[in-house]
Amino acid sequence: MEKNNKNNKENVKVVGFWVSPFVHRVRWALKMKGIKKYEYIEEDIYNKSSLLSEINPVYGKVPVLVHNGKPLSESSIILEYIDQVWNDDFAPPLLPRDPYQRAQTRFWAKFADQKVLESAWMVLCSEGEKQERAVKEATEALEKLEEKLKSGNSIFFGGDTIGYLDLMIGFVSYLYPVWEEVASVKILDALKFPALVAWQSNFLNHELIAGEYLPPRAEAVAYFRWRRSELIPVYNRMY
Amino acid sequence: MADGVVLLDTYFSMFGMRARLALAEKGIEYEYKEENLGDKSPVLLEMNPVHKKIPVLIHNGKPICESLIIVQYIDEVWKDNSPLLPSDPYQKAQARFWADFVDKKVYDAGTRMWTTKGDELETAKKDFIEALKLLEAELGEKPYFGGENFGFVDVALITYSSWFFTYETCGNFSVEEHCPKLMEWVKRCMKKESVSKSLADPKKIYDFVLFLKKKRGFE
């Protein structure tokens, strides 16, 4: 019998881009809640359609979740929405119920985006001295994340199983190594970050994730090589 | 004091003001500790080792950091009075979206207005006004962003109004001229005691910014 029968009657659309980690979060969250029947619309973010400016007039970005005709953007906000709307016996909670634990989870999700992802992106889009500085920041950010994971005494950030924080940090499992390869650096290594490296494979191999929605590595590498070449001169001017 | 509530903060911070405002809205008594950011206290460093920033809410000895996360925490723990976030999931998500927009767009442009000059300043002014106009459109004809009641987005944005005088003076423009409806909303909010007692004095903020500009050579 299909899980969440009632949910399949509701209209869910996701507008995304194949390589965006923000989109993957949303798709994993829906999958965790047992929502598999939805329309996925691939958007070419370099040639945006009128749909995107209609459903995300403020930022014009992906992902956008459209539920019963109502659009929502910003992945962290979409995930909390999904968690609130779909919560019954068949849909495991993504966030903890305790307010203090929720606050901690939200704090680390923000840290993951503002520090871990940002610094890794800067490593990808820089070279020379700028890249060295970015590598230092990226390392520091990962150190804090490693400590956080170790202090939880469990294999996932969400405890014994995957939660909101694992989904938000998910990009570290598959995109981080891609960016390292493209940027010709190695930051996230097993000696310095044993807990995070173990988490990477536990996350990717978890039955709920099973590498789904992820771009083929060769294509991702080619895409980010292109982004790096485009963005190095831009960031050189800006920073 | 409600189960030991302490707030580590600084008078001028629009982020700290949000925490003060949320506590005031809920009628929560707490201990306020003014931090000297040039000489951070051991408590601050212990309670926010990751960012070493204010505000930090300490509740029963446990720290909560990041202003909007603090406000949500306060709303969830003291949920029986003056709810700040709507209970409807979609409306709640929309409130979070606009509060996040304030941080993404208003803060950055505002900061650039007192830390840059010339063309950069003009760009900052343009970005700032654009962001306020979008917020004004979102407010529409409602008395508050939260509808009939003061809510999460109101808390997120009203604290920036104490910095408007500084931005206007540095950028040589008037918020009222570009966003009259938004200024009406500011005046409406300032009539609330929780707001007027939580916000810093705009002139004092401007003096502080002048001091910072001199210190950092931004003149």
Side-chain angles (χ1 to χ4, degrees), chain A residues 54-96:
Chain A
E54 201 184 295
I55 56 177
N56 191 357
V58 176
Y59 299 117
K61 286 180 170 180
V62 296
V64 183
L65 177 83
V66 187
H67 182 212
N68 292 332
K70 298 196 285 195
L72 269 181
S73 61
E74 297 302 298
S75 59
S76 59
I77 294 172
I78 294 172
L79 259 58
E80 290 223 31
Y81 174 80
I82 289 171
D83 198 33
Q84 237 199 309
V85 169
W86 288 283
N87 62 6
D88 54 34
D89 291 338
F90 299 112
L94 296 177
L95 282 118

Side-chain angles (χ1 to χ4, degrees), chain B residues 16-122:
Chain B
M17 286 177 223
R18 289 167 168 175
R20 282 177 248 166
L21 179 46
L23 289 164
E25 275 287 297
K26 301 283 187 175
I28 299 162
E29 277 178 33
Y30 63 98
E31 188 187 338
Y32 178 89
K33 288 199 168 133
E34 178 78 12
E35 281 284 332
N36 173 4
L37 296 183
D39 185 18
K40 294 175 181 176
S41 75
V43 181
L44 175 57
L45 298 176
E46 188 197 323
M47 292 290 158
N48 191 356
V50 175
H51 300 300
K52 305 178 174 65
K53 286 183 170 178
I54 56 89
V56 180
L57 186 80
I58 307 172
H59 185 206
N60 292 333
K62 297 194 290 190
I64 300 106
C65 310
E66 299 295 307
S67 64
L68 292 180
I69 294 175
I70 291 172
V71 174
Q72 286 183 82
Y73 174 81
I74 291 169
D75 201 39
E76 285 173 20
V77 171
W78 288 277
K79 57 185 186 294
D80 293 328
N81 49 327
S82 306
L84 294 170
L85 276 157
S87 49
D88 172 72
Y90 187 73
Q91 283 174 31
K92 188 181 268 194
Q94 287 295 95
R96 288 194 171 119
F97 175 87
W98 285 106
D100 177 67
F101 175 86
V102 172
D103 277 349
K104 280 192 164 80
K105 298 287 180 183
V106 180
Y107 179 68
D108 178 66
T111 304
R112 279 184 280 137
M113 271 197 290
W114 65 270
T115 55
T116 64
K117 13 181 222 239
D119 284 340
E120 276 187 77
L121 172 53
E122 288 309 304

Side-chain angles (χ1 to χ4, degrees), chain A residues 191-206:
Chain A
L191 269 170
K192 275 192 86 174
F193 303 103
L196 274 176
V197 169
W199 171 86
Q200 279 177 312
S201 83
N202 285 328
F203 178 80
L204 283 173
N205 292 319
H206 192 283

